[in-house]
Amino acid sequence: MTSIDNTALDSLRTTLRGTVTTPADADYDESRSLYNAMIDRRPAAIARCTDAADVRATLAFAQDAGLELAVRGGGHSGPGLCLVEDGLTLDLSPMRSVRVDPEARTAQVGGGGLLGDLDHATHTFGLGVPAGIMSTTGVGGLTLGGGHGYLTRAYGLTIDSLVSADVVLADGSFVTASETDHPDLFWALRGGGGNFGVVTSFTYRLHPVDTVGAGVTVWPVERTGEVLRWYRDFLPAAPEDLYGFFALLTVPPAPPFPAEIHGRKMCAVIWCSTGDLTDDRLEETLSVVGDPAPPAFHFTSPMPYPALQSMFDDLIPKGLQWYWRGDFFDSISDAAVEVHEKYGRALPTGLSTMHLYPVDGAAHRVASDATPWAYRDAEWSGVIAGVDPDPANAEPIRQWCVDYWTELHPHSMGGAYVNFLGEAEEPDRVRSTYRTTYERLAAAKRTYDPDNFFRANQNIAPATM
């Protein structure tokens, strides 16, 4: 375990408005805990930053002490890249303030904010940002990876709504990146991950969203083939105000599901409509859900958007074992359907799952080189997740995920949403995620972080001269 000079730590504690936690402190284990309990790394210290001044001081301390640095926002990183063994974690979680300008339709969010913070502040004005499907997800990590969610077909990716970002760079300088100021950095931040600096606040353009039409349709897992073949044709042709992600799951013992299907393996579509909800329009739109096979359960209801965003929070809380891998898909071939059928029947635990998130609609109307998100031609962003509360099941869920991904990957586009990469990946895998935008990202890295100080991430090495 790396030892940090106590005098230097005392100096950092005096400088920060936030707190500094080390293994000697009673709250150390809680401070280093992440959403994914499979990650068990022990940083030498955790600095909880309250503002940009704290961030600058923490960066300087890490560099002076020769410590590897990781940056933590919401702590949802699947591979736990927000913690580094024997290094320093810069924790932004105290920075969760949200300021909404309803007339300009913008919101500024602190770098440690959660989607629930953003949704709470914007919903009162009937506005929102396309971002994620869980309110406990960190705004920072989701945005820096690109971001997709229930509103993506209607309003695009999260990065398509980003207006500007306040950033502390590796040399300690503070800049605001936008289309007009540091545009090359602004371009890189919109999908290039945490490679370029510490973002202390994000400013988003907001969109009209208030009450949405939420729905869940489930079919027996034995009908996965028929349902998935229907879904692959139905959804891309549906109006862009209708969103639905496909899932393989085990029905939880909770409302709104009836007791007779609790614990059964199913395939499902979770719906969100931002269209006209009058006159039972959602039910009319979804009257076709029986076409592939009779559903075992079908439910729709008007719902405040934040309620839909938080619908899964209690089902999959912090502290579970997670292992995931992802890929992009421009089609769902019959051969891919067979893979999904096989592994859907073999779901290893009650919380393990597979999701196919649509990333078409408005997201397709942005050029492939306008942001680092190079897969603007993808129809779906897929993720396979082995999940369970018991550490004894860590290896079985990991192996199921790896086997599933290995068989499905040949039917993919070759790259994945960077936030769905399963661990700190090999350079070739990171390159495949960014396609032709990788070289421009590497050039931006050379400009803003030439020494690769920010490397606890899906790393992009600085371009060589």
Side-chain angles (χ1 to χ4, degrees), residues 295-335:
F297 175 74
H298 176 65
F299 164 85
T300 61
S301 177
M303 187 178 294
Y305 177 64
L308 176 60
Q309 280 279 75
S310 59
M311 190 166 65
F312 298 114
D313 290 358
D314 292 338
L315 177 63
I316 41 178
K318 178 180 177 180
L320 302 173
Q321 305 284 308
W322 281 80
Y323 188 88
W324 67 36
R325 289 190 178 186
D327 267 320
F328 285 122
F329 300 88
D330 57 3
S331 64
I332 302 172
S333 67
D334 287 344

mmCIF file of all heavy atoms in Angstrom, residues 295-335:
data_model
loop_
_atom_site.group_PDB
_atom_site.id
_atom_site.type_symbol
_atom_site.label_atom_id
_atom_site.label_comp_id
_atom_site.label_asym_id
_atom_site.label_seq_id
_atom_site.Cartn_x
_atom_site.Cartn_y
_atom_site.Cartn_z
ATOM 1 N N PRO A 295 -48.525 -11.408 -25.154
ATOM 2 C CA PRO A 295 -47.718 -11.028 -23.995
ATOM 3 C C PRO A 295 -48.182 -11.741 -22.728
ATOM 4 O O PRO A 295 -49.372 -12.032 -22.555
ATOM 5 C CB PRO A 295 -47.949 -9.513 -23.874
ATOM 6 C CG PRO A 295 -48.544 -9.087 -25.172
ATOM 7 C CD PRO A 295 -49.284 -10.274 -25.700
ATOM 8 N N ALA A 296 -47.246 -12.019 -21.848
ATOM 9 C CA ALA A 296 -47.591 -12.539 -20.529
ATOM 10 C C ALA A 296 -48.071 -11.413 -19.622
ATOM 11 O O ALA A 296 -48.785 -11.643 -18.635
ATOM 12 C CB ALA A 296 -46.384 -13.222 -19.893
ATOM 13 N N PHE A 297 -47.675 -10.182 -19.973
ATOM 14 C CA PHE A 297 -48.079 -9.007 -19.196
ATOM 15 C C PHE A 297 -47.830 -7.771 -20.045
ATOM 16 O O PHE A 297 -46.822 -7.678 -20.742
ATOM 17 C CB PHE A 297 -47.264 -8.929 -17.899
ATOM 18 C CG PHE A 297 -47.527 -7.687 -17.082
ATOM 19 C CD1 PHE A 297 -48.693 -7.545 -16.359
ATOM 20 C CD2 PHE A 297 -46.593 -6.654 -17.037
ATOM 21 C CE1 PHE A 297 -48.942 -6.405 -15.614
ATOM 22 C CE2 PHE A 297 -46.825 -5.511 -16.290
ATOM 23 C CZ PHE A 297 -48.002 -5.385 -15.574
ATOM 24 N N HIS A 298 -48.764 -6.821 -19.989
ATOM 25 C CA HIS A 298 -48.622 -5.564 -20.718
ATOM 26 C C HIS A 298 -49.193 -4.454 -19.850
ATOM 27 O O HIS A 298 -50.318 -4.559 -19.349
ATOM 28 C CB HIS A 298 -49.348 -5.624 -22.066
ATOM 29 C CG HIS A 298 -49.323 -4.339 -22.829
ATOM 30 N ND1 HIS A 298 -48.166 -3.785 -23.317
ATOM 31 C CD2 HIS A 298 -50.334 -3.481 -23.184
ATOM 32 C CE1 HIS A 298 -48.453 -2.649 -23.954
ATOM 33 N NE2 HIS A 298 -49.758 -2.456 -23.875
ATOM 34 N N PHE A 299 -48.418 -3.404 -19.666
ATOM 35 C CA PHE A 299 -48.810 -2.323 -18.763
ATOM 36 C C PHE A 299 -48.405 -0.995 -19.378
ATOM 37 O O PHE A 299 -47.287 -0.848 -19.877
ATOM 38 C CB PHE A 299 -48.101 -2.504 -17.419
ATOM 39 C CG PHE A 299 -48.103 -1.285 -16.528
ATOM 40 C CD1 PHE A 299 -49.174 -1.030 -15.689
ATOM 41 C CD2 PHE A 299 -47.020 -0.408 -16.517
ATOM 42 C CE1 PHE A 299 -49.180 0.088 -14.864
ATOM 43 C CE2 PHE A 299 -47.009 0.709 -15.690
ATOM 44 C CZ PHE A 299 -48.096 0.961 -14.862
ATOM 45 N N THR A 300 -49.307 -0.025 -19.378
ATOM 46 C CA THR A 300 -48.956 1.339 -19.776
ATOM 47 C C THR A 300 -49.612 2.315 -18.806
ATOM 48 O O THR A 300 -50.666 2.030 -18.237
ATOM 49 C CB THR A 300 -49.428 1.682 -21.207
ATOM 50 O OG1 THR A 300 -50.853 1.569 -21.278
ATOM 51 C CG2 THR A 300 -48.782 0.778 -22.237
ATOM 52 N N SER A 301 -48.970 3.455 -18.639
ATOM 53 C CA SER A 301 -49.528 4.478 -17.751
ATOM 54 C C SER A 301 -48.825 5.805 -17.997
ATOM 55 O O SER A 301 -47.603 5.823 -18.235
ATOM 56 C CB SER A 301 -49.341 4.075 -16.284
ATOM 57 O OG SER A 301 -49.815 5.095 -15.415
ATOM 58 N N PRO A 302 -49.562 6.915 -17.924
ATOM 59 C CA PRO A 302 -48.880 8.211 -17.889
ATOM 60 C C PRO A 302 -48.025 8.291 -16.623
ATOM 61 O O PRO A 302 -48.403 7.775 -15.572
ATOM 62 C CB PRO A 302 -50.031 9.228 -17.842
ATOM 63 C CG PRO A 302 -51.239 8.469 -18.280
ATOM 64 C CD PRO A 302 -51.029 7.057 -17.862
ATOM 65 N N MET A 303 -46.862 8.935 -16.725
ATOM 66 C CA MET A 303 -45.938 8.955 -15.609
ATOM 67 C C MET A 303 -45.040 10.194 -15.722
ATOM 68 O O MET A 303 -44.572 10.512 -16.815
ATOM 69 C CB MET A 303 -45.082 7.680 -15.655
ATOM 70 C CG MET A 303 -44.172 7.452 -14.480
ATOM 71 S SD MET A 303 -43.254 5.870 -14.657
ATOM 72 C CE MET A 303 -44.613 4.672 -14.544
ATOM 73 N N PRO A 304 -44.775 10.883 -14.628
ATOM 74 C CA PRO A 304 -43.789 11.967 -14.700
ATOM 75 C C PRO A 304 -42.447 11.407 -15.157
ATOM 76 O O PRO A 304 -42.037 10.321 -14.721
ATOM 77 C CB PRO A 304 -43.720 12.491 -13.260
ATOM 78 C CG PRO A 304 -44.997 12.042 -12.623
ATOM 79 C CD PRO A 304 -45.361 10.742 -13.281
ATOM 80 N N TYR A 305 -41.768 12.143 -16.007
ATOM 81 C CA TYR A 305 -40.501 11.640 -16.545
ATOM 82 C C TYR A 305 -39.517 11.224 -15.455
ATOM 83 O O TYR A 305 -38.913 10.146 -15.555
ATOM 84 C CB TYR A 305 -39.890 12.690 -17.476
ATOM 85 C CG TYR A 305 -38.541 12.299 -18.024
ATOM 86 C CD1 TYR A 305 -38.410 11.185 -18.853
ATOM 87 C CD2 TYR A 305 -37.396 13.032 -17.715
ATOM 88 C CE1 TYR A 305 -37.168 10.805 -19.353
ATOM 89 C CE2 TYR A 305 -36.160 12.668 -18.215
ATOM 90 C CZ TYR A 305 -36.045 11.558 -19.034
ATOM 91 O OH TYR A 305 -34.819 11.187 -19.512
ATOM 92 N N PRO A 306 -39.338 11.988 -14.373
ATOM 93 C CA PRO A 306 -38.411 11.531 -13.328
ATOM 94 C C PRO A 306 -38.823 10.208 -12.685
ATOM 95 O O PRO A 306 -37.960 9.445 -12.229
ATOM 96 C CB PRO A 306 -38.421 12.671 -12.299
ATOM 97 C CG PRO A 306 -38.815 13.875 -13.080
ATOM 98 C CD PRO A 306 -39.805 13.367 -14.085
ATOM 99 N N ALA A 307 -40.113 9.924 -12.643
ATOM 100 C CA ALA A 307 -40.561 8.646 -12.077
ATOM 101 C C ALA A 307 -40.128 7.486 -12.968
ATOM 102 O O ALA A 307 -39.726 6.424 -12.475
ATOM 103 C CB ALA A 307 -42.074 8.651 -11.901
ATOM 104 N N LEU A 308 -40.207 7.683 -14.286
ATOM 105 C CA LEU A 308 -39.725 6.641 -15.194
ATOM 106 C C LEU A 308 -38.214 6.479 -15.049
ATOM 107 O O LEU A 308 -37.703 5.356 -14.998
ATOM 108 C CB LEU A 308 -40.083 7.007 -16.635
ATOM 109 C CG LEU A 308 -39.569 6.048 -17.726
ATOM 110 C CD1 LEU A 308 -40.116 4.645 -17.531
ATOM 111 C CD2 LEU A 308 -39.891 6.578 -19.116
ATOM 112 N N GLN A 309 -37.498 7.591 -14.948
ATOM 113 C CA GLN A 309 -36.044 7.540 -14.815
ATOM 114 C C GLN A 309 -35.593 6.800 -13.557
ATOM 115 O O GLN A 309 -34.507 6.240 -13.513
ATOM 116 C CB GLN A 309 -35.469 8.962 -14.775
ATOM 117 C CG GLN A 309 -35.323 9.632 -16.121
ATOM 118 C CD GLN A 309 -34.072 9.193 -16.841
ATOM 119 O OE1 GLN A 309 -34.006 8.091 -17.372
ATOM 120 N NE2 GLN A 309 -33.073 10.052 -16.891
ATOM 121 N N SER A 310 -36.402 6.814 -12.522
ATOM 122 C CA SER A 310 -36.023 6.184 -11.250
ATOM 123 C C SER A 310 -36.686 4.824 -11.042
ATOM 124 O O SER A 310 -36.545 4.220 -9.982
ATOM 125 C CB SER A 310 -36.362 7.112 -10.082
ATOM 126 O OG SER A 310 -37.744 7.411 -10.049
ATOM 127 N N MET A 311 -37.375 4.314 -12.064
ATOM 128 C CA MET A 311 -38.169 3.096 -11.912
ATOM 129 C C MET A 311 -37.325 1.883 -11.537
ATOM 130 O O MET A 311 -37.781 0.979 -10.840
ATOM 131 C CB MET A 311 -38.947 2.820 -13.203
ATOM 132 C CG MET A 311 -39.979 1.710 -13.082
ATOM 133 S SD MET A 311 -41.142 1.684 -14.473
ATOM 134 C CE MET A 311 -40.065 1.272 -15.841
ATOM 135 N N PHE A 312 -36.064 1.833 -11.980
ATOM 136 C CA PHE A 312 -35.217 0.673 -11.712
ATOM 137 C C PHE A 312 -34.262 0.877 -10.534
ATOM 138 O O PHE A 312 -33.490 -0.021 -10.202
ATOM 139 C CB PHE A 312 -34.389 0.325 -12.965
ATOM 140 C CG PHE A 312 -35.224 -0.066 -14.151
ATOM 141 C CD1 PHE A 312 -35.251 0.727 -15.285
ATOM 142 C CD2 PHE A 312 -35.993 -1.219 -14.131
ATOM 143 C CE1 PHE A 312 -36.022 0.376 -16.381
ATOM 144 C CE2 PHE A 312 -36.771 -1.588 -15.221
ATOM 145 C CZ PHE A 312 -36.780 -0.780 -16.348
ATOM 146 N N ASP A 313 -34.301 2.034 -9.910
ATOM 147 C CA ASP A 313 -33.315 2.343 -8.870
ATOM 148 C C ASP A 313 -33.333 1.342 -7.721
ATOM 149 O O ASP A 313 -32.283 0.882 -7.259
ATOM 150 C CB ASP A 313 -33.551 3.748 -8.302
ATOM 151 C CG ASP A 313 -33.215 4.843 -9.300
ATOM 152 O OD1 ASP A 313 -32.772 4.534 -10.417
ATOM 153 O OD2 ASP A 313 -33.407 6.027 -8.952
ATOM 154 N N ASP A 314 -34.519 1.013 -7.235
ATOM 155 C CA ASP A 314 -34.618 0.098 -6.089
ATOM 156 C C ASP A 314 -34.346 -1.344 -6.490
ATOM 157 O O ASP A 314 -33.884 -2.145 -5.664
ATOM 158 C CB ASP A 314 -36.002 0.205 -5.442
ATOM 159 C CG ASP A 314 -36.222 1.544 -4.760
ATOM 160 O OD1 ASP A 314 -35.222 2.207 -4.423
ATOM 161 O OD2 ASP A 314 -37.390 1.932 -4.575
ATOM 162 N N LEU A 315 -34.617 -1.673 -7.744
ATOM 163 C CA LEU A 315 -34.412 -3.047 -8.211
ATOM 164 C C LEU A 315 -32.927 -3.381 -8.288
ATOM 165 O O LEU A 315 -32.513 -4.500 -7.952
ATOM 166 C CB LEU A 315 -35.070 -3.231 -9.576
ATOM 167 C CG LEU A 315 -34.897 -4.600 -10.246
ATOM 168 C CD1 LEU A 315 -35.555 -5.693 -9.414
ATOM 169 C CD2 LEU A 315 -35.471 -4.562 -11.660
ATOM 170 N N ILE A 316 -32.123 -2.427 -8.735
ATOM 171 C CA ILE A 316 -30.682 -2.668 -8.871
ATOM 172 C C ILE A 316 -29.922 -1.562 -8.131
ATOM 173 O O ILE A 316 -29.344 -0.666 -8.749
ATOM 174 C CB ILE A 316 -30.250 -2.778 -10.350
ATOM 175 C CG1 ILE A 316 -30.957 -1.744 -11.232
ATOM 176 C CG2 ILE A 316 -30.475 -4.158 -10.872
ATOM 177 C CD1 ILE A 316 -30.536 -1.790 -12.685
ATOM 178 N N PRO A 317 -29.904 -1.638 -6.802
ATOM 179 C CA PRO A 317 -29.257 -0.612 -5.993
ATOM 180 C C PRO A 317 -27.741 -0.758 -5.980
ATOM 181 O O PRO A 317 -27.177 -1.744 -6.482
ATOM 182 C CB PRO A 317 -29.833 -0.877 -4.597
ATOM 183 C CG PRO A 317 -30.047 -2.360 -4.583
ATOM 184 C CD PRO A 317 -30.501 -2.703 -5.984
ATOM 185 N N LYS A 318 -27.091 0.201 -5.385
ATOM 186 C CA LYS A 318 -25.652 0.139 -5.184
ATOM 187 C C LYS A 318 -25.298 -1.091 -4.353
ATOM 188 O O LYS A 318 -26.043 -1.480 -3.458
ATOM 189 C CB LYS A 318 -25.187 1.406 -4.454
ATOM 190 C CG LYS A 318 -23.711 1.456 -4.132
ATOM 191 C CD LYS A 318 -23.357 2.752 -3.403
ATOM 192 C CE LYS A 318 -21.888 2.778 -3.013
ATOM 193 N NZ LYS A 318 -21.523 4.031 -2.306
ATOM 194 N N GLY A 319 -24.154 -1.711 -4.656
ATOM 195 C CA GLY A 319 -23.658 -2.798 -3.822
ATOM 196 C C GLY A 319 -23.802 -4.185 -4.405
ATOM 197 O O GLY A 319 -23.477 -5.173 -3.739
ATOM 198 N N LEU A 320 -24.271 -4.293 -5.663
ATOM 199 C CA LEU A 320 -24.372 -5.599 -6.315
ATOM 200 C C LEU A 320 -23.076 -5.916 -7.066
ATOM 201 O O LEU A 320 -22.275 -5.032 -7.372
ATOM 202 C CB LEU A 320 -25.545 -5.607 -7.305
ATOM 203 C CG LEU A 320 -26.928 -5.296 -6.715
ATOM 204 C CD1 LEU A 320 -27.957 -5.181 -7.826
ATOM 205 C CD2 LEU A 320 -27.337 -6.349 -5.705
ATOM 206 N N GLN A 321 -22.895 -7.198 -7.368
ATOM 207 C CA GLN A 321 -21.796 -7.637 -8.219
ATOM 208 C C GLN A 321 -22.207 -7.419 -9.676
ATOM 209 O O GLN A 321 -23.284 -7.836 -10.097
ATOM 210 C CB GLN A 321 -21.506 -9.127 -8.002
ATOM 211 C CG GLN A 321 -21.223 -9.508 -6.556
ATOM 212 C CD GLN A 321 -19.837 -9.108 -6.118
ATOM 213 O OE1 GLN A 321 -18.850 -9.436 -6.772
ATOM 214 N NE2 GLN A 321 -19.752 -8.405 -5.000
ATOM 215 N N TRP A 322 -21.335 -6.745 -10.458
ATOM 216 C CA TRP A 322 -21.633 -6.452 -11.855
ATOM 217 C C TRP A 322 -20.465 -6.861 -12.743
ATOM 218 O O TRP A 322 -19.307 -6.658 -12.391
ATOM 219 C CB TRP A 322 -21.836 -4.943 -12.062
ATOM 220 C CG TRP A 322 -23.164 -4.391 -11.660
ATOM 221 C CD1 TRP A 322 -23.566 -4.073 -10.393
ATOM 222 C CD2 TRP A 322 -24.246 -4.064 -12.520
ATOM 223 N NE1 TRP A 322 -24.837 -3.566 -10.420
ATOM 224 C CE2 TRP A 322 -25.286 -3.549 -11.714
ATOM 225 C CE3 TRP A 322 -24.449 -4.152 -13.903
ATOM 226 C CZ2 TRP A 322 -26.500 -3.126 -12.234
ATOM 227 C CZ3 TRP A 322 -25.662 -3.730 -14.420
ATOM 228 C CH2 TRP A 322 -26.671 -3.223 -13.591
ATOM 229 N N TYR A 323 -20.800 -7.386 -13.925
ATOM 230 C CA TYR A 323 -19.808 -7.531 -14.977
ATOM 231 C C TYR A 323 -20.527 -7.312 -16.294
ATOM 232 O O TYR A 323 -21.544 -7.975 -16.564
ATOM 233 C CB TYR A 323 -19.134 -8.906 -14.974
ATOM 234 C CG TYR A 323 -17.971 -8.972 -15.934
ATOM 235 C CD1 TYR A 323 -16.693 -8.595 -15.534
ATOM 236 C CD2 TYR A 323 -18.166 -9.367 -17.253
ATOM 237 C CE1 TYR A 323 -15.626 -8.615 -16.423
ATOM 238 C CE2 TYR A 323 -17.105 -9.393 -18.154
ATOM 239 C CZ TYR A 323 -15.842 -9.019 -17.734
ATOM 240 O OH TYR A 323 -14.792 -9.025 -18.621
ATOM 241 N N TRP A 324 -20.052 -6.359 -17.115
ATOM 242 C CA TRP A 324 -20.757 -6.094 -18.367
ATOM 243 C C TRP A 324 -19.814 -5.912 -19.537
ATOM 244 O O TRP A 324 -18.631 -5.618 -19.382
ATOM 245 C CB TRP A 324 -21.712 -4.915 -18.234
ATOM 246 C CG TRP A 324 -21.136 -3.537 -18.015
ATOM 247 C CD1 TRP A 324 -19.997 -3.010 -18.522
ATOM 248 C CD2 TRP A 324 -21.746 -2.501 -17.233
ATOM 249 N NE1 TRP A 324 -19.845 -1.711 -18.129
ATOM 250 C CE2 TRP A 324 -20.903 -1.364 -17.335
ATOM 251 C CE3 TRP A 324 -22.919 -2.402 -16.490
ATOM 252 C CZ2 TRP A 324 -21.200 -0.159 -16.693
ATOM 253 C CZ3 TRP A 324 -23.212 -1.199 -15.855
ATOM 254 C CH2 TRP A 324 -22.367 -0.103 -15.951
ATOM 255 N N ARG A 325 -20.400 -6.118 -20.730
ATOM 256 C CA ARG A 325 -19.733 -5.858 -22.003
ATOM 257 C C ARG A 325 -20.785 -5.402 -23.009
ATOM 258 O O ARG A 325 -21.951 -5.790 -22.914
ATOM 259 C CB ARG A 325 -19.032 -7.108 -22.544
ATOM 260 C CG ARG A 325 -17.796 -7.526 -21.763
ATOM 261 C CD ARG A 325 -17.025 -8.598 -22.490
ATOM 262 N NE ARG A 325 -15.805 -8.980 -21.765
ATOM 263 C CZ ARG A 325 -14.897 -9.805 -22.248
ATOM 264 N NH1 ARG A 325 -15.054 -10.350 -23.451
ATOM 265 N NH2 ARG A 325 -13.821 -10.106 -21.541
ATOM 266 N N GLY A 326 -20.342 -4.597 -23.995
ATOM 267 C CA GLY A 326 -21.302 -4.064 -24.952
ATOM 268 C C GLY A 326 -20.789 -4.080 -26.372
ATOM 269 O O GLY A 326 -19.625 -4.380 -26.644
ATOM 270 N N ASP A 327 -21.690 -3.716 -27.289
ATOM 271 C CA ASP A 327 -21.382 -3.581 -28.715
ATOM 272 C C ASP A 327 -22.458 -2.727 -29.377
ATOM 273 O O ASP A 327 -23.590 -2.624 -28.867
ATOM 274 C CB ASP A 327 -21.350 -4.941 -29.417
ATOM 275 C CG ASP A 327 -19.952 -5.559 -29.475
ATOM 276 O OD1 ASP A 327 -18.988 -4.808 -29.708
ATOM 277 O OD2 ASP A 327 -19.840 -6.783 -29.271
ATOM 278 N N PHE A 328 -22.112 -2.140 -30.525
ATOM 279 C CA PHE A 328 -23.086 -1.464 -31.382
ATOM 280 C C PHE A 328 -23.581 -2.435 -32.442
ATOM 281 O O PHE A 328 -22.833 -3.307 -32.913
ATOM 282 C CB PHE A 328 -22.452 -0.265 -32.080
ATOM 283 C CG PHE A 328 -22.229 0.938 -31.210
ATOM 284 C CD1 PHE A 328 -20.966 1.463 -31.049
ATOM 285 C CD2 PHE A 328 -23.293 1.560 -30.567
ATOM 286 C CE1 PHE A 328 -20.741 2.575 -30.258
ATOM 287 C CE2 PHE A 328 -23.087 2.677 -29.770
ATOM 288 C CZ PHE A 328 -21.810 3.192 -29.618
ATOM 289 N N PHE A 329 -24.842 -2.222 -32.873
ATOM 290 C CA PHE A 329 -25.451 -3.061 -33.912
ATOM 291 C C PHE A 329 -26.190 -2.175 -34.903
ATOM 292 O O PHE A 329 -26.940 -1.275 -34.503
ATOM 293 C CB PHE A 329 -26.445 -4.061 -33.292
ATOM 294 C CG PHE A 329 -25.811 -4.990 -32.304
ATOM 295 C CD1 PHE A 329 -25.717 -4.635 -30.961
ATOM 296 C CD2 PHE A 329 -25.289 -6.207 -32.708
ATOM 297 C CE1 PHE A 329 -25.117 -5.482 -30.042
ATOM 298 C CE2 PHE A 329 -24.682 -7.061 -31.798
ATOM 299 C CZ PHE A 329 -24.598 -6.696 -30.456
ATOM 300 N N ASP A 330 -25.984 -2.428 -36.202
ATOM 301 C CA ASP A 330 -26.763 -1.724 -37.216
ATOM 302 C C ASP A 330 -27.935 -2.570 -37.701
ATOM 303 O O ASP A 330 -28.773 -2.100 -38.476
ATOM 304 C CB ASP A 330 -25.889 -1.274 -38.389
ATOM 305 C CG ASP A 330 -25.147 -2.427 -39.061
ATOM 306 O OD1 ASP A 330 -25.351 -3.588 -38.662
ATOM 307 O OD2 ASP A 330 -24.356 -2.156 -39.986
ATOM 308 N N SER A 331 -27.984 -3.809 -37.255
ATOM 309 C CA SER A 331 -29.101 -4.702 -37.568
ATOM 310 C C SER A 331 -29.109 -5.814 -36.527
ATOM 311 O O SER A 331 -28.140 -5.995 -35.791
ATOM 312 C CB SER A 331 -28.956 -5.291 -38.981
ATOM 313 O OG SER A 331 -27.790 -6.099 -39.049
ATOM 314 N N ILE A 332 -30.212 -6.531 -36.478
ATOM 315 C CA ILE A 332 -30.309 -7.703 -35.606
ATOM 316 C C ILE A 332 -30.557 -8.897 -36.528
ATOM 317 O O ILE A 332 -31.683 -9.147 -36.950
ATOM 318 C CB ILE A 332 -31.437 -7.557 -34.571
ATOM 319 C CG1 ILE A 332 -31.223 -6.295 -33.721
ATOM 320 C CG2 ILE A 332 -31.499 -8.784 -33.660
ATOM 321 C CD1 ILE A 332 -32.398 -5.964 -32.811
ATOM 322 N N SER A 333 -29.489 -9.566 -36.861
ATOM 323 C CA SER A 333 -29.587 -10.658 -37.830
ATOM 324 C C SER A 333 -30.267 -11.871 -37.206
ATOM 325 O O SER A 333 -30.362 -11.999 -35.983
ATOM 326 C CB SER A 333 -28.188 -11.054 -38.314
ATOM 327 O OG SER A 333 -27.450 -11.632 -37.234
ATOM 328 N N ASP A 334 -30.717 -12.784 -38.064
ATOM 329 C CA ASP A 334 -31.312 -14.024 -37.560
ATOM 330 C C ASP A 334 -30.302 -14.813 -36.733
ATOM 331 O O ASP A 334 -30.658 -15.437 -35.728
ATOM 332 C CB ASP A 334 -31.813 -14.880 -38.729
ATOM 333 C CG ASP A 334 -33.069 -14.311 -39.361
ATOM 334 O OD1 ASP A 334 -33.718 -13.439 -38.732
ATOM 335 O OD2 ASP A 334 -33.398 -14.711 -40.494
ATOM 336 N N ALA A 335 -29.025 -14.768 -37.144
ATOM 337 C CA ALA A 335 -27.995 -15.470 -36.375
ATOM 338 C C ALA A 335 -27.830 -14.842 -34.993
ATOM 339 O O ALA A 335 -27.642 -15.547 -33.998
ATOM 340 C CB ALA A 335 -26.676 -15.443 -37.129
#
